[in-house]
Amino acid sequence: MSIVTRRVRTARLDTFVREAGDPASPVLLLVHGNVSSSVFFEELMEDLSADFRLVAPDYRGYGDSERATIDATRGMADFSDDLAALLDALGVEGPVDVLGWSAGGNIALQLAIDHPDRVRRLVLEAPGSPYGFGGTTGEDGRPVADDFAGSGGGTANPEFCRALAEGDRGDGPTSPRFTLRTFYVRPGFTFPAEVEEKYVDGMLAMKVGDDVYPGDLTSSPNWPGVAPGTTGTNNALSPKYLDQSGFADLDPVPPVLWIRGADDQIVSDTSMFDLAQLGRLGVVPGYPGEDVCPTQPMVSQMRAVLTAAGGEVTETVYEECGHSPHLEHPERFAADVRAFLR
């Protein structure tokens, strides 16, 4: 079944949506990750369209959706409220199944926390830590510094942001294409040329600036010298504003299928996007040491929260796989999702 696209005006946002499947089938809401768009789900949608009504929006400021400021002080709530408003606008009643990839996993968790009547089951694909990205340590997500230094808008590579803003389609070390090839998937994995181009298109379609990505920043006396601002995605992912440990307090807790790659370099207990890890490796200068600024155990933090929830949790690890199981092992991923939701 073919994928159709349209714009949906909700009470909050003009949202661009990809859809597939029988409108009478159970709804599966697909939530993409940071620096991407719903185009990354097209092959998965084709695979699952016989079983589900698939709804894959671009979130605010990403892809072809409306550019709207992200209030980072609400954590992921701007995004989750946007999803609830979209379901309302589509006339979808009752709970739906939700699949969130990377930061989309955090949005899916937030939807379950803030709108529990909307979520039946969760598929978390390589989700970020429930304690945000950067600036925490320990399975309980305790902050490393009182101002949450090492997280937020200032953690993004400014050359990468410049490449996004300028529409760089090259393969230099700070280009979107290099990031796609090196970090979104396990190094060595290759896409067909036309598929890679559309994914680069999806990355370049997002809006760059303090309002969307990566967000603003403040200076800090603590290493690495930057702390969160108040707008934009990376600030919304800062532990200053994001604490999703409340997922464990839901009653009932939605069943969870957690799928991740064994070679994920983005969400990991030794993430190559965690400035503390990069400092420990000597990539970011001035690192004060692990006793002052330990690395963030992102996977362990997620496992701790899901375990505390006490619900049905299935953790599946794909070998020879990076940050995108649905792209790297599409047939297995679709089969696992189908089996879980069936």
Side-chain angles (χ1 to χ4, degrees), residues 41 92 114 120 129 134 139 146-147 154 179 224 228 233 242 247 292 325 339:
F41 285 132
V92 175
D114 293 341
R120 179 168 49 230
S129 165
E139 293 186 359
D146 57 5
D147 62 354
T179 299
T233 305
L242 186 66
F247 179 75
V292 175

Side-chain angles (χ1 to χ4, degrees), residues 39 44 52 60 69 102 202 222 237 259 263 270 305 309 323 331:
V39 74
L44 179 64
F52 305 98
R60 59 172 58 206
T69 298
S102 191
N222 301 304
L237 287 167
I259 300 177
D263 305 311
T270 53
V305 168
H323 188 58
E331 292 183 2

Side-chain angles (χ1 to χ4, degrees), residues 144 223 276-277 279-280 284-295:
V144 172
W223 188 90
Q277 171 68 3
R280 190 176 70 84
V284 178
Y287 182 57
E290 290 193 60
D291 55 334
V292 175
C293 190
T295 54

Side-chain angles (χ1 to χ4, degrees), residues 173-197:
T174 60
S175 69
R177 190 184 304 275
F178 180 86
T179 299
L180 172 67
R181 292 174 175 176
T182 307
F183 296 107
Y184 281 29
V185 294
R186 185 173 182 261
F189 180 89
T190 57
F191 296 105
E194 68 278 7
V195 173
E196 180 173 286
E197 292 308 314

Side-chain angles (χ1 to χ4, degrees), residues 47 62 71 80 136 164 307:
D47 206 340
Y62 287 67
D71 180 357
S80 62
T136 69
L164 283 173
T307 300

Side-chain angles (χ1 to χ4, degrees), residues 45-219:
M45 294 176 75
E46 292 172 1
D47 206 340
L48 295 178
S49 61
D51 300 279
F52 305 98
R53 176 187 176 186
L54 298 156
V55 178
D58 294 342
Y59 43 79
R60 59 172 58 206
Y62 287 67
D64 291 313
S65 284
E66 175 186 348
R67 182 170 192 158
T69 298
I70 298 159
D71 180 357
T73 66
R74 304 186 69 224
M76 292 282 99
D78 262 0
F79 298 114
S80 62
D81 286 352
D82 289 346
L83 290 180
L86 175 62
L87 294 173
D88 287 342
L90 294 175
V92 175
E93 299 179 355
V96 302
D97 297 321
V98 185
L99 186 157
W101 167 46
S102 191
N106 294 99
I107 296 171
L109 282 174
Q110 199 65 46
L111 185 66
I113 293 168
D114 293 341
H115 304 274
D117 58 321
R118 285 296 194 183
V119 177
R120 179 168 49 230
R121 289 168 295 197
L122 287 172
V123 179
L124 302 179
E125 179 191 2
S129 165
Y131 297 109
F133 206 100
T136 69
T137 190
E139 293 186 359
D140 58 351
R142 59 189 181 275
V144 172
D146 57 5
D147 62 354
F148 299 90
S151 69
T155 62
N157 184 331
E159 290 303 308
F160 175 69
C161 295
R162 181 191 58 77
L164 283 173
E166 294 179 356
D168 182 356
R169 304 191 68 87
D171 58 3
T174 60
S175 69
R177 190 184 304 275
F178 180 86
T179 299
L180 172 67
R181 292 174 175 176
T182 307
F183 296 107
Y184 281 29
V185 294
R186 185 173 182 261
F189 180 89
T190 57
F191 296 105
E194 68 278 7
V195 173
E196 180 173 286
E197 292 308 314
K198 75 175 182 179
Y199 291 161
V200 172
D201 287 342
M203 298 171 76
L204 293 175
M206 60 179 289
K207 313 308 184 289
V208 178
D210 288 351
D211 56 333
V212 177
Y213 178 88
D216 61 345
L217 59 88
T218 59
S219 61

